[in-house]
Amino acid sequence: MTTAERQRTAQELIRPQLPADLVQRGECPFDPAGGLTELSGQGRIHRIEHKGEIVWLVTGHDEARAVLADPRMSADRINSPRARKLISPELHAEMFPPERRAGSFIFMDAPEHTRYRRLLTGQFTVRRMRDLTPRIHEIVNARLDAMIEKGPPADLVQDFALPVPSLVICELLGVDYGDREEFQHRTAKLLSLHTTVDEQIKVNTDLRRFMHGLVRDKQRDPGDDLLSGLVRDTDLNTDELAGIANLLLIAGHETTANMLALGTFALLEHPDQLAKLREHPELVENAVEELLRYLSIISMGVSRHAKEDVTLGAATIREGETVVVSVPAVNRDETQYDDPHELRVDRPRGHHVAFGHGIHQCLGQQLARVEMAAGFTELLRRLPALRLAVPADEVPLRTDMSIYGVHALPVTW
């Protein structure tokens, strides 16, 4: 394999590529890419040819849900025809060894996916997440205590938005919170659009080593945490347990942290909506759903490939072709939402796809909702004078990451 092949970015190889005007956020940090908004007005599914690749881009709400619920649409992007075409067999084996694939059920189809999902569904019930609410409020207030004691200005990302979900998921999984910096740094590397293949291989190797150590600790001395329960109550092997723990740990802090920070930024930049939420704190659950819809931080989209020919509207997607569901466009479908480009914290809850749809719908969505509701409630209650400490256009955006948000959010009060 060539040096050039190894120096390509990992995201370029495993994620479908789209023109920049369809993915890069524009002048407003909360709106979808300008080209995406324009394209959405021209139809609901679009054939895009870019750098010699063909991608079907879905921007319609109903069409998106149809794709995500269709068993003929595969989530296995590691073994997709696109990946097999772009990655040599030698490099593919090095990037995706069997032990890395074990437990990574979000990249699996039924029935393989079903086996893992069933083992975990009972751990993330609405009731269990509601039972965690008092503890989550304690964690939120402890972080606010520390931030307030240190005094303004503060970086809301490092001082609040990142620690809260990290503490929650560490406690839920039984991970030592002292290890958070290690997995957070490695997660950031994995999600960067600029991480090379060699860098990704190293990071994944290091993460697997860390998770294997954690699993062995639970096997020797199980506790009452979720991972210990999987060790004790299932027949999963060490590779599978490490893969599941890795997946839950990364997903459990990264997306929620970005929603807390970007959501706060959006509220501060929409003072009428911020005032409405302060005046009516009972709207917080509606506000959470609206921010999920409005911000759509999975801005690169959700990809699938057709396992056979599939008709979608007037389009025929051929076997092996790639489909990308554009979450930012789908969540602003004008046939689904009134004034979709407006942020309204009192908007009635709708069927957004921020958490996906179908069998791969986010397993931890209820936990994320509880964390966001607690986070926004306590943040606005305890810091009534919260405001940006820098001009809005100086807030550093995560345009270099596969999950959108802000790298920092300087605030004062």
Side-chain angles (χ1 to χ4, degrees), residues 311-326:
T311 300
L312 184 64
T316 298
I317 300 163
R318 299 298 181 189
E319 179 181 354
E321 289 186 332
T322 300
V323 180
V324 173
V325 172
S326 175

Side-chain angles (χ1 to χ4, degrees), residues 31-274:
D31 287 344
L36 184 59
T37 301
E38 181 180 347
L39 189 68
S40 298
Q42 300 171 10
R44 308 180 65 78
I45 179 168
H46 316 268
R47 186 179 185 275
I48 308 294
E49 189 166 353
H50 180 62
K51 294 184 178 179
E53 292 188 50
I54 294 173
V55 175
W56 291 94
L57 186 67
V58 177
T59 58
H61 180 272
D62 292 342
E63 291 78 5
R65 287 167 67 91
V67 167
L68 296 175
D70 194 329
R72 298 171 297 174
M73 291 290 182
S74 174
D76 185 2
R77 73 181 187 204
I78 291 172
N79 290 307
S80 69
R82 179 182 182 277
R84 292 294 186 183
K85 177 182 176 182
L86 293 177
I87 307 173
S88 67
E90 296 82 9
L91 184 55
H92 193 280
E94 193 175 356
M95 289 179 69
F96 309 114
E99 60 269 24
R100 178 187 170 190
R101 179 174 168 79
S104 297
F105 59 92
I106 64 171
F107 302 126
M108 297 177 183
D109 301 325
E112 192 178 19
H113 167 272
T114 310
R115 170 178 172 251
Y116 291 112
R117 184 87 181 198
R118 282 177 177 165
L119 292 174
L120 288 164
T121 298
Q123 305 290 340
F124 288 91
T125 61
V126 174
R127 180 176 179 178
R128 181 171 185 177
M129 295 307 107
R130 294 293 184 187
D131 289 344
L132 282 173
T133 299
R135 176 60 184 141
I136 291 172
H137 275 270
E138 289 177 6
I139 290 171
V140 165
N141 278 303
R143 294 311 308 170
L144 287 171
D145 288 342
M147 190 172 82
I148 292 168
E149 182 179 356
K150 189 170 69 171
D155 174 10
L156 197 77
V157 173
Q158 293 301 321
D159 293 333
F160 180 74
L162 188 56
V164 166
S166 296
L167 277 162
V168 171
I169 198 64
C170 283
E171 193 165 302
L172 192 63
L173 287 176
V175 178
D176 185 346
Y177 187 62
D179 292 326
R180 72 192 184 283
E181 289 188 6
E182 182 176 2
F183 70 73
Q184 286 170 359
H185 172 73
R186 290 173 179 160
T187 298
K189 265 294 197 185
L190 286 180
L191 296 176
S192 171
L193 300 179
H194 304 304
T195 299
T196 66
V197 168
D198 281 342
E199 288 171 331
Q200 191 206 48
I201 290 171
K202 182 182 185 306
V203 170
N204 272 308
T205 300
D206 291 342
L207 272 173
R208 282 202 307 273
R209 187 180 299 119
F210 171 78
M211 291 301 173
H212 272 87
L214 177 62
V215 169
R216 286 193 292 270
D217 288 344
K218 301 299 179 185
Q219 289 169 332
R220 286 192 297 267
D221 184 23
D224 59 358
D225 53 85
L226 188 152
L227 186 55
S228 294
L230 291 175
V231 168
R232 184 174 52 246
D233 301 332
T234 72
D235 60 354
L236 296 170
N237 63 40
T238 301
D239 283 335
E240 290 174 312
L241 289 164
I244 288 173
N246 190 31
L247 192 62
L248 295 179
L249 195 60
I250 292 173
H253 80 270
E254 186 68 32
T255 51
T256 305
N258 281 290
M259 274 303 306
L260 282 170
L262 188 63
T264 301
F265 185 21
L267 289 171
L268 292 175
E269 287 298 286
H270 292 80
D272 59 328
Q273 298 303 303
L274 177 59

Side-chain angles (χ1 to χ4, degrees), residues 15-16 18 22-23 25 36 57-58 68 77 296-304 323-329 402-403:
R15 285 183 177 273
L18 292 167
L22 297 182
V23 291
R25 303 269 176 156
L36 184 59
L57 186 67
V58 177
L68 296 175
R77 73 181 187 204
S296 296
I297 61 173
I298 311 299
S299 55
M300 304 296 289
V302 179
S303 63
R304 298 285 188 265
V323 180
V324 173
V325 172
S326 175
V327 177
S402 59
I403 295 178

